[in-house]
């Protein structure tokens, strides 16, 4: 048991989790430190070590066939996803090395804009993807690595949809029409998913799914920028004022139903084949009541049943759509 985390083996089993993307995230500060690539390799190594330590529970999956074979054996298919294109340090060769180590998706950016791709939460440099960014997407297609466009700006989303020959993935994003936060997906982009085949995996973070919470978090983000300018060399003063502001401006957790509201919105705009679950467990600080950890996935099933969804539709949301995208990416790479 890991009470400080959202995830442990007992709760994965209680939630009937049979396939999981483990995020090998490294902070954007590793760009300045010059060790983003090396630290990502170490994160990938930790996933391999975890799988080796618990072979009765986990097995590495590299494609959809692996997922189905491992799941049929009663184990949890463990895939690796890289969160933030800063991990390749501007090198296609490094992208290939990380793929060879087992990485099967890469989020093009994290919280900061790169020289080749614009982030949703930073100033734009390329108005989407630069020519090198387009090369990165095409190489990911060639490798069979999913192009993940969570965290990126709407212009980058549209560029990726235009360039990618395989279906794209939003690994952990929600619907912007419900909660107006730049980390969420606008309807203009959702409407283009059917022609690409991509999937939006709904993020469970209260700050991205509850409208009032999204508004409060945007104000907090603006405050952080102000404090960075006010105290450029003093992080302690920055954090002190942030904590004082947060105490005065708490944001609501919401209820589990709000996650299904986001699922339904994506279904209305893009269709049932283009939505999945991208919880962001252990990457977020607050969750809606009723969906507190990985044991609670059956709550989503229950809520969708209550709203009249059939078994086949629910299975698409729980795993089918994500598995299809993974399968199609591999088929394209094989061709």
């Amino acid at each position: 048991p890991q009470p400080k985390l959202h995830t442990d083996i007992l709760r994965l089993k209680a939630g009937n989790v049979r396939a999981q993307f483990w995020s090998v995230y490294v902070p954007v500060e590793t760009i300045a430190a010059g060790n983003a690539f090396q630290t990502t390799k170490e994160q990938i190594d930790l996933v391999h070590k975890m799988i080796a330590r618990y072979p009765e529970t986990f097995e590495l999956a590299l494609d959809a066939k692996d997922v189905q074979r491992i799941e049929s054996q009663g184990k949890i298919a463990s895939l690796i996803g890289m969160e933030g294109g800063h991990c390749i340090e501007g090198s296609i060769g490094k992208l290939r090395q990380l793929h060879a180590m087992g990485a099967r998706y890469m989020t093009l950016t994290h919280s900061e804009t790169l020289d080749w791709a614009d982030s949703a939460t930073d100033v734009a440099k390329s108005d989407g993807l630069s020519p090198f960014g387009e090369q990165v997407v095409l190489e990911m297609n060639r490798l069979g690595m999913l192009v993940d466009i969570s965290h990126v700006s709407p212009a980058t989303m549209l560029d990726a949809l235009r360039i990618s020959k395989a279906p794209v993935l939003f690994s952990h994003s929600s619907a912007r029409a419900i909660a107006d936060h730049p980390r969420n997906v606008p309807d203009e982009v959702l409407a283009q998913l059917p022609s690409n085949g991509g999937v939006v995996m709904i993020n469970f973070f209260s700050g991205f799914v509850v409208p009032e919470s999204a508004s409060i978090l945007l104000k907090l983000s603006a405050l952080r920028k102000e404090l960075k300018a006010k105290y450029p060399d003093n992080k302690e003063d920055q954090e002190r004022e942030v904590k004082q502001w947060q105490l005065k401006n708490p944001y609501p957790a919401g209820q589990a139903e709000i996650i299904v509201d986001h699922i339904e919105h994506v279904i209305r705009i893009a269709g049932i084949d283009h939505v999945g679950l991208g919880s962001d467990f252990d990457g977020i600080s607050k969750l809606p009541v009723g969906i507190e950890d990985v044991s609670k996935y059956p709550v989503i099933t229950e809520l969708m049943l209550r709203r009249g969804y059939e078994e086949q539709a629910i299975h698409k949301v729980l795993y089918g759509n994500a598995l299809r995208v993974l399968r199609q990416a591999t088929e394209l790479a094989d061709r």
Side-chain angles (χ1 to χ4, degrees):
Q2 298 292 330
K4 291 183 180 178
L5 302 178
H6 297 137
T7 308
D8 56 41
I9 290 172
L10 291 173
R11 286 180 290 170
L12 284 166
K13 289 179 177 177
N16 199 32
V17 176
R18 305 299 277 272
Q20 165 82 30
F21 265 109
W22 300 98
S23 174
V24 292
Y25 161 72
V26 302
V28 289
E29 288 77 16
T30 55
I31 304 172
N35 61 359
F37 176 64
Q38 178 60 32
T39 314
T40 302
K41 288 200 298 180
E42 291 170 6
Q43 286 272 300
I44 291 174
D45 181 60
L46 280 171
V47 177
H48 286 290
K49 283 173 71 177
M50 179 186 74
I51 291 168
R53 184 167 179 175
Y54 302 102
E56 72 291 340
T57 301
F58 303 118
E59 187 175 330
L60 182 69
L62 299 175
D63 58 28
K65 287 179 183 175
D66 281 351
V67 171
Q68 290 175 305
R69 174 182 56 78
I70 295 162
E71 186 275 334
S72 71
Q73 294 168 355
K75 293 193 282 188
I76 297 171
S78 296
L79 300 114
I80 297 172
M82 302 183 295
E83 196 171 333
H86 55 285
C87 66
I88 67 169
E89 296 180 336
S91 164
I92 298 245
K94 288 179 178 177
L95 172 69
R96 285 193 282 267
Q97 289 179 59
L98 294 165
H99 175 266
M101 291 181 71
R104 287 300 179 267
Y105 80 64
M106 181 174 75
T107 321
L108 297 184
T109 73
H110 196 255
S111 56
E112 291 184 9
T113 288
L114 304 176
D115 289 338
W116 51 271
D118 294 337
S119 169
T121 49
D122 197 6
V123 178
K125 285 184 182 177
S126 306
D127 191 29
L129 290 171
S130 74
F132 177 76
E134 295 182 1
Q135 286 182 42
V136 170
V137 168
L138 290 172
E139 182 63 9
M140 291 171 74
N141 286 169
R142 192 188 71 80
L143 292 168
M145 183 184 287
L146 297 176
V147 177
D148 176 17
I149 47 177
S150 282
H151 277 287
V152 306
S153 70
T156 307
M157 294 175 191
L158 292 170
D159 277 356
L161 283 162
R162 175 175 55 83
I163 295 295
S164 181
K165 299 180 187 305
V168 300
L169 183 77
F170 288 87
S171 64
H172 56 305
S173 294
S174 303
R176 191 156 183 178
I178 294 181
D180 189 11
H181 192 285
R183 273 286 283 104
N184 290 336
V185 189
D187 282 358
E188 173 195 9
V189 176
L190 291 178
Q192 294 203 21
L193 282 181
S195 58
N196 168 267
V199 175
V200 177
M201 311 289 277
I202 300 298
N203 193 316
F204 295 179
F205 177 43
S206 300
F208 295 160
V209 294
V210 179
E212 183 186 346
S213 299
S215 175
I216 291 169
L217 278 192
L218 281 176
K219 290 173 184 172
L220 176 59
S221 179
L223 175 68
R224 284 188 183 279
K225 286 178 184 174
E226 286 175 25
L227 293 173
K228 206 170 180 181
K230 186 177 177 182
Y231 307 112
D233 302 314
N234 195 330
K235 284 196 172 181
E236 286 182 10
D237 283 349
Q238 290 177 34
E239 285 308 308
R240 187 188 68 253
E241 291 204 25
V242 163
K243 283 176 183 174
Q244 288 173 353
W245 190 90
Q246 287 175 310
L247 287 171
K248 294 176 186 173
N249 299 274
Y251 60 94
Q255 301 291 322
E257 285 83 355
I258 191 71
I259 294 168
V260 184
D261 291 345
H262 283 263
I263 292 170
E264 288 202 302
H265 184 82
V266 176
I267 291 170
R268 278 195 296 272
I269 304 297
I272 189 65
D273 295 317
H274 304 286
V275 64
L277 304 180
S279 65
D280 210 4
F281 282 131
D282 290 305
I284 49 180
S285 53
K286 188 176 283 192
L287 286 147
V289 175
I291 200 85
E292 293 84 3
D293 59 46
V294 294
S295 72
K296 305 293 186 179
Y297 281 112
V299 170
I300 303 289
T301 305
E302 181 184 350
L303 291 172
M304 291 191 73
L305 284 167
R306 285 185 187 175
R307 296 191 191 193
Y309 286 91
E310 301 283 337
E311 181 177 354
Q312 184 183 10
I314 296 171
H315 278 230
K316 284 184 175 186
V317 175
L318 296 181
Y319 68 90
N321 293 334
L323 207 58
R324 171 186 57 78
V325 166
L326 193 61
R327 186 182 303 113
Q328 290 177 331
T330 305
E331 288 169 356
L332 176 72
D334 289 344
R335 289 200 299 274

